[in-house]
Amino acid sequence: MDEHTPLLYPSPESPAEDTNAQCTGVSGVYHRIGLRLVGSLIVDSIPVTLSYILQNSTQTVSILVTGRLGPEELSAAAFSMMLAFVTGWCIALGGGSALDTLGSQSFTGGNRPTDLSIHFQRCVILLWLLFIPVAILWAFIEPVLLAIGEPARLCKDVQAIMRILIFGAPGYIAFESLKKYLQCQGIMRASTIVLILVSPINLVLNIFFVHYTPLGMLGCPVALSITYWLCFILLILVTLLSPTHKANATWGGLQLQAAMNLKSCFGFLKLALPGILMVGTEWAAFEIVALAAGKLGELSLAAQSVIMTTDQIIATIPFSFGVVASTRVGNLLGARSAIGARNAAHASALTSVLVGSAIMTAMLAARNDFGYMFSDDEDVVRLVSQVMPLLASFQIADGLANACGGTLRGQGRQHLGAIFNIIAYYVLALPIGITLAFSTRMHLGLKGLWIGKSICFGSVRRLTHMILGQVIGLFTVGTAEYIVVWLGTNWDKEVEKSVVRNAEEAKRRTLLEQHE
């Protein structure tokens, strides 16, 4: 399968769909799915996974290169990248989820092929506008950090880095939006190609600006800003050269007046803001766990760094399944194929279980020696081996959560994911994790924090079960989430919503053209 292969399985015009419609129940759905659909999801997820790994590595490289200057520079760079993720990049990734809905549905069901390009332009402009208050925060972040008790030197250095990074943020947002625009068309490899080309350039830029110019530590954000804009520019070139993009004919030129239609912008923000909240709350909770680990001592902090680095890399795999699921479901809803959309949703869940099981097995098998990849300290390796089973235990649940989240984004139900994250992380996971870590009666240390992290993929009803048995409990919760998507989705109604969205957009565009 490649980017010229039809994205929709099964095709809305497929005669087999009528026959398959007679099958009912879970077994009937999986009988219809078949290995071809599962295999196509895995194939599509590979370039997406590589893309996000490479994208995350650009910041990791900046931290490592800057860290060679000394521990204070390392702390400032790492803290700045954490803030960038939680407050800035979540706008690009979360806000871009509106394009998962509107763009993917308009690609197959829009009045004109160029409707997708209008959604893309609207996405870039609105996300840039949403970044403005974040840019102001970054420019004056020092007093905020001082207020929460961070060291004065760190606060000053972080503010200096963030002020420079402001210039790179629009490039990051535009790159993410263009990536989504291409993914809506089933073009998954373009961003991977760009990042493969840019990654060594990013390394060279960081080494040059940090170690061979007077900028020193501030060379890190300069290099990153150049990298983000370079990614966007190169992705434009790759898009223009893409035969699939040319065949789709989705680009209709700059149409800013259509893109900034007030009603259309309001509809976009109704999806984008919950998407930002969904991503931001999850990442913020993750960083709170990291900060809390620092209070447990140097040994726990070292082991936590190993676990977090591992989790960040592995998390790109289930996240990629969510991206592919949102595109598939959105495309099929736009094509008015309720059965096809349902099959794609359940195939994504099935694939996530299979891949999550493989990852969990590998992590459990390697837990005793895994820590040696990062440290020669026996105590760190031993602590990593103790915490690793907890990290492994929620891989299946993580995959299911991402697959179901992708389905919800494809449907336009981002608000459900946001509500779930707020309850799971801030009502359940963090209070329980911190209590288990710091309670005098139940002092589980780093294990306690990661028990809390595991609970993030649970529901209120399953709380006690998850505490009693992480692996069994998390598998049950992941299954329960899947059942909720199964029982709580009227696929015919979702198709109707897609038709209405596309019709309203076409009507606004027609009125605008008549007015001109």
Side-chain angles (χ1 to χ4, degrees), residues 175-245:
F175 173 70
E176 274 296 323
S177 300
L178 182 53
K179 186 199 300 184
K180 290 284 187 184
Y181 165 74
L182 295 173
Q183 289 171 349
C184 288
Q185 304 173 60
I187 303 174
M188 303 291 182
R189 301 175 183 175
S191 59
T192 309
I193 294 171
V194 168
L195 286 164
I196 289 174
L197 295 173
V198 170
S199 291
I201 297 175
N202 175 65
L203 174 61
V204 172
L205 288 174
N206 271 280
I207 293 174
F208 173 74
F209 284 114
V210 172
H211 293 286
Y212 294 96
T213 71
L215 290 171
M217 175 187 66
L218 298 182
C220 162
V222 171
L224 275 177
S225 296
I226 294 173
T227 297
Y228 293 143
W229 280 107
L230 186 59
C231 284
F232 177 50
I233 293 169
L234 286 180
L235 190 55
I236 292 175
L237 295 176
V238 172
T239 301
L240 293 175
L241 296 174
S242 169
T244 306
H245 180 259

Side-chain angles (χ1 to χ4, degrees), residues 94-114:
S97 69
L99 208 56
D100 288 335
T101 306
L102 301 172
S104 60
Q105 292 182 10
S106 71
F107 175 62
T108 51
N111 182 258
R112 306 177 189 179
T114 54

Side-chain angles (χ1 to χ4, degrees), residues 82-333:
M82 179 192 75
L83 282 176
F85 265 116
V86 173
T87 61
W89 306 157
C90 67
I91 292 177
L93 292 169
S97 69
L99 208 56
D100 288 335
T101 306
L102 301 172
S104 60
Q105 292 182 10
S106 71
F107 175 62
T108 51
N111 182 258
R112 306 177 189 179
T114 54
D115 286 348
L116 177 56
S117 66
I118 295 177
H119 287 300
F120 161 65
Q121 292 170 55
R122 183 179 300 126
C123 178
V124 174
I125 294 171
L126 290 180
L127 295 188
W128 278 351
L129 292 175
L130 288 176
F131 177 70
I132 291 175
V134 176
I136 296 173
L137 173 65
W138 286 7
F140 303 100
I141 194 71
E142 182 177 0
V144 177
L145 297 178
L146 288 171
I148 62 175
E150 297 298 332
R153 168 69 186 274
L154 176 66
C155 297
K156 182 178 180 180
D157 289 344
V158 168
Q159 178 171 277
I161 292 174
M162 301 305 287
R163 284 181 171 180
I164 297 175
L165 206 56
I166 289 173
F167 297 99
Y172 185 99
I173 292 171
F175 173 70
E176 274 296 323
S177 300
L178 182 53
K179 186 199 300 184
K180 290 284 187 184
Y181 165 74
L182 295 173
Q183 289 171 349
C184 288
Q185 304 173 60
I187 303 174
M188 303 291 182
R189 301 175 183 175
S191 59
T192 309
I193 294 171
V194 168
L195 286 164
I196 289 174
L197 295 173
V198 170
S199 291
I201 297 175
N202 175 65
L203 174 61
V204 172
L205 288 174
N206 271 280
I207 293 174
F208 173 74
F209 284 114
V210 172
H211 293 286
Y212 294 96
T213 71
L215 290 171
M217 175 187 66
L218 298 182
C220 162
V222 171
L224 275 177
S225 296
I226 294 173
T227 297
Y228 293 143
W229 280 107
L230 186 59
C231 284
F232 177 50
I233 293 169
L234 286 180
L235 190 55
I236 292 175
L237 295 176
V238 172
T239 301
L240 293 175
L241 296 174
S242 169
T244 306
H245 180 259
K246 291 178 181 178
N248 291 337
T250 55
W251 181 251
L254 289 177
Q255 302 175 70
L256 300 182
Q257 190 172 358
M260 294 311 294
N261 177 275
L262 289 179
K263 288 187 178 179
S264 297
C265 289
F266 179 72
F268 183 93
L269 291 174
K270 283 177 65 177
L271 298 174
L273 293 177
I276 293 171
L277 190 61
M278 182 179 178
V279 173
T281 51
E282 180 177 354
W283 284 358
F286 194 89
E287 299 301 344
I288 289 172
V289 170
L291 293 174
K295 305 295 183 180
L296 295 173
E298 293 183 4
L299 177 61
S300 291
L301 181 59
Q304 172 68 5
S305 298
V306 174
I307 294 297
M308 280 191 63
T309 302
T310 304
D311 189 50
Q312 286 173 347
I313 295 172
I314 293 175
T316 59
I317 299 175
F319 184 78
S320 68
F321 283 116
V323 171
V324 174
S326 64
T327 301
R328 287 288 179 91
V329 170
N331 284 159
L332 286 158
L333 289 176

